[in-house]
Amino acid sequence: MRLTGLLLIPVLLVACSRNGGQTVLEFWAMGREGEVVQSLVPEFERRNPAIRVKVQQIPWSAAHEKLLTAYAGEAMPDVFQLGNTWIPEFVVLQAIVNLDDRLPAVQRRDYFEGILETNHIDRELYGLPWYVDTRLLFYRTDILAEAGFSMPPRTWSEWLEAMAAVKALPGGERYALLLPMNEWQAPTILGFQLGAELLRNDARFGNFQSDAFRRAFHFYLDLFRQGYAPAVSEAQIANLYQAFGSGYFAMYVTGPWNIGEFEHRLPKALRDRWATAPMPAPDENYPGLSLAGGASLAISRHSDHKDQAWKLIEFLSEPEQQVAFYRLTGDLPARRSAWQHPDLASETRAQAFKVQLERVVYTPKIPEWERIAGKIAHYAEKAVRGELTEDRALAALDQDVDHILEKRRWLLRKQAR
Amino acid sequence: MTVFSGNRIKALLLHLALVAAALVTLFPLFWMVSVSLMPSAEANRFPPPLLPESPTLEHYRILFSRLSLATYLLNSTLIAALVTALSLLINSLAGYAFAKLRFRGRDRLFRLLLASMVIPAQVAMLPLFLMLKEMGLVNTYGGVIVPGMASIFGIFLIRQYALSIPDSLLDAARIDGAGEFRIYRTLVLPLCKPILVTLAIFTFLGAWNDFMWPLIILTENDLYTLPVALANLLGEHAQDAELMMAGSVLTVLPVILLFFALQKYYIEGLVLGSVKE
Amino acid sequence: MKNAMLPANPAFWFVAPALVLIAVFFFLPAAASLFLSFTDFDIYALGDLERLRFVALENYLRLLRDPLFWTALKNTLYFVLIGGPLSVAVSLGAALLVNHRLVRFKGLFRSLLFLPVVTTLVAIAVVWRYLYHPRHGFLNYLLGQFGLGPVDWLGDPDWAMPAIILMAIWKNFGFNMIIFIAGLQSIPTRLYEAAVIDGANAWRQFRHVTLPMLAPTFVFVTVITMIGYFQLFAEPYVMTQGGPANSTLSVALLMFQEGFRWWNLGYAAAVAFTLFLIVLAGTLLQLRLRRGAI
């Protein structure tokens, strides 16, 4: 008995560190965002003297496990950031609350539709987009011009022509496009562009052998077979920025964080020789689709301060704060009105993302998605390496995905009963 | 004469080899301290500088002021000290009993304990987490401490040492009418002092350096131990080599000091622990 | 019999606290782990235990089909089978050196070489991350002096595991060194004297006296090292997160990721239990081999 008492002392010490009269709001944010958001907090606390925000910063690499462990240990923060593909998991756990009644309709329309949609599970809103993320084309303007293209490609056929022309340019080993073969995003985007449904029967089964996905996958593999893209994973490129700078590859499908990285790391001489452009489309319907990514803010079900937590979310969602956040991190604002701000309007490289963000789709909103995405990457790599034929890879992918979804099928059957 | 000078050359070579080995061994530690005293980004030059041009304590200041390192230092100290104190008591009781007291199945039980040292700790971790969750110990100091309170190795170590206590001494005390606990307290504990010190160092270092379990069981920053906090810091400040080095110095320094202060016990205990049954 | 409920033997009260703690916090969860590995405990079950099913050996079958598990196993074996013997060899070399009869300041050298053992692994992994830095790391600078490299130690899938092994040897060799020194010191000097009279040179003395006499120490050291090395976790967690291209993903790290990142506890328990079986098999094999050899 004495023993447990002794053990409890430090626990109590921690539990009692509440500030008298003020509400302490626990807020978890990831990576650089977690660091930077602390500079926005003082203004919020000034406007809301009764609330104190305690920001805990979690590295991205440990974020998922920290959040789930905190849920399991009933130590969730009041409000937290989460990747928008994680929302389904936290809804399954009933760890986060519905925000529908809190978000005014006017504001709702200000969000990019595809992005906001990722926060809806069964038509109910569980998170509010904080910043957005999608993938598009980064390219070397000078190399494309040299190959005879003054504009970025708008269709797949233009894209192929441009790649052939770049590949034909003289001078050493070079490639037209970098698609790290261990990423699931590229084949998935191409599949969406051709209208593929990745899963069928209310996400009960994999649907990667569908005609649409098959054609997309074929197109993807052809990029390697034609020698347009090098068969490498990201880890194998010792220095990505050096490789882009030296013209080892001329185009790269990647996300907004690389705007800052490229500006930082490319030699000064190259500063004006690269640009961004929305994804080419398989038909005339430019721009082609891309993925709805980003991070959202959510409120924990067990929070005792849900109203105050919502105040913080509202504050961070104000266009001014979103612009300030963009200036600090380079993260793109989730609200269209923030993009009117001169800071963003003048950024042509960012503006390509604005265009793209109007044309995004979301990946299946089920807790199993991360694992399925891992499988896509795995089999895409196998096919690129030639270890499996196209057909075999897709059949194996469907089989694995069916396995992953077995529990979901069981649950749906159980629910139906 | 030739044998003598041959020996001298040999001795010289041996010592040279040893000095070289010691330098290689100590280099990473030396470099850690040196870089931690450099101003930001100085270590990113090429060739890498060995010594700071103008030593500064700025990173240590940042660690204590902005990154609340004092909290982690306190957490680590408190957890390691509590684990050490509790496990010393519990393991010495059991170790002594396995050596000197008679009870049914004693030796079989002891062999079973020894054999189970093959089980990797990871096997127990997943259900242990669920158990501690039910007990409300997730994200508390208790969650880190409780599973470490008794250790098979600790019992083994004490038992090996206690075996050497002469039975006649214990019997004499019993004839004088002393109870078993009294004998333990007044006779056994003082006799076992060297091994208790050894076990204390082992346990303290083990708890201080432990990573996987605190990483799992602690979710809140305020409760992090130094290694967990350091790994967390690395996620955000990987590019600040000098700052990370300062954090490493602060994590490693206490255990190095402890080791140098008590190394005799440490190394003797290690040898005793490795003596086969 | 004073009280039938309470054991009369005071020994009970001496061992009970330790045994209860070990039973509750080690044996019970270890056994529960076996049970867990026969269920599909996952994120659904975490939210609601109604959604837990008994799946018998399904997790183990999935494990055998999972390329990630085989990668992790391969990497772990690489670490154990290459890193383990190397580490033991370095320890033995250091022990022979320190323990040589001509060496002075034995205690000092022993302590200095031992120092890395007591340091905190996470902090050391952080330090080595920078030593391994491809551009301004010290190791590549040194290699450069000899006209070699640069090597992208932690970024190149072929080099990441060797880099981790190198660091692990540096960190651990002192431990086994001490045990070897103790073993060496327990060899009676008369054996060497007899060998000298028989005209044995240094190598033959080592081969025919030192090695056989050290055999029990060898068994202990290799078993302990192997059990420890199979549990590789913190090094890849801190230095590479299992990358690049999963080249440093260990079985323990896989268990951690499946268990605590994705919360597939059932599957993770199967991983953990498989790890245990492998360690057990390895230990038994080694004990048997040594017994046969002596």
Side-chain angles (χ1 to χ4, degrees), chain B residues 63-75:
Chain B
L63 283 173
F64 277 104
S65 60
R66 262 211 358 249
L67 301 167
S68 52
L69 203 92
T71 313
Y72 310 133
L73 205 62
L74 188 72
N75 290 340

Side-chain angles (χ1 to χ4, degrees), chain A residues 214-286:
Chain A
R214 200 180 276 279
R215 278 188 293 136
F217 199 57
H218 183 80
F219 179 83
Y220 173 76
L221 292 177
D222 253 357
L223 297 176
F224 295 93
R225 286 189 285 239
Q226 303 284 346
Y228 297 155
V232 293
S233 57
E234 205 168 16
Q236 281 171 290
I237 300 177
N239 192 325
L240 199 116
Y241 307 102
Q242 230 164 22
F244 190 63
S246 70
Y248 178 72
F249 58 89
M251 293 182 260
Y252 182 23
V253 175
T254 184
W257 66 90
N258 263 331
I259 295 183
E261 295 291 329
F262 279 24
E263 280 168 358
H264 251 86
R265 295 171 187 245
L266 288 180
K268 286 199 175 64
L270 285 169
R271 191 176 281 165
D272 300 318
R273 301 205 201 155
W274 62 280
T276 56
M279 290 299 289
D283 44 32
E284 299 302 316
N285 220 344
Y286 186 74

Side-chain angles (χ1 to χ4, degrees), chain A residues 61-62 64-66 68-69 71-72 86 89 92-94 233 235-236 238-239 265 366-368 370-371 375 378 403 406-408 410-411 413-414, chain C residues 40-48 50-53 58 62 65-67 135 152 155-157 237 241 244-245 256-258 260-264:
Chain A
S61 57
H64 196 271
E65 68 227 34
K66 279 287 163 213
L68 281 184
T69 315
Y71 165 81
W86 302 353
E89 280 168 83
V92 162
L93 290 172
Q94 307 191 347
S233 57
Q236 281 171 290
N239 192 325
R265 295 171 187 245
I366 53 173
E368 292 88 350
E370 297 268 355
R371 269 163 73 201
K375 290 291 176 194
H378 176 74
H403 260 292
E406 190 276 332
K407 181 107 182 211
R408 178 177 161 80
W410 177 73
L411 285 171
R413 272 203 310 276
K414 201 175 153 202
Chain C
D40 69 346
F41 198 111
D42 60 1
I43 192 149
Y44 289 116
L46 182 67
D48 178 1
E50 293 278 296
R51 307 184 213 155
L52 182 73
R53 287 180 301 172
E58 180 56 40
R62 212 180 106 199
R65 286 195 310 260
D66 186 349
R135 257 190 305 159
D152 190 1
D156 182 330
Y237 183 92
Q241 287 283 325
F256 176 84
Q257 291 183 346
E258 282 293 338
F260 294 105
R261 180 165 301 162
W262 304 117
W263 226 264
N264 295 320

Side-chain angles (χ1 to χ4, degrees), chain B residues 6-18:
Chain B
N7 263 351
R8 272 182 55 176
I9 293 170
K10 212 164 145 190
L12 188 70
L13 288 176
L14 279 168
H15 284 96
L16 278 179
L18 272 172

Side-chain angles (χ1 to χ4, degrees), chain C residues 187-204:
Chain C
I187 302 176
T189 37
R190 59 181 169 76
L191 290 182
Y192 289 103
E193 285 158 8
V196 171
I197 291 169
D198 288 348
N201 60 19
W203 165 247
R204 290 179 71 96

Side-chain angles (χ1 to χ4, degrees), chain B residues 96 100 165-180 182-184 186-188 191:
Chain B
Y96 163 64
K100 288 292 169 187
I165 301 174
D167 284 327
S168 54
L169 210 64
L170 302 173
D171 287 337
R174 284 185 192 119
I175 289 166
D176 286 348
E180 289 298 334
R182 179 117 177 250
I183 294 175
Y184 161 79
T186 57
L187 207 61
V188 177
L191 281 172

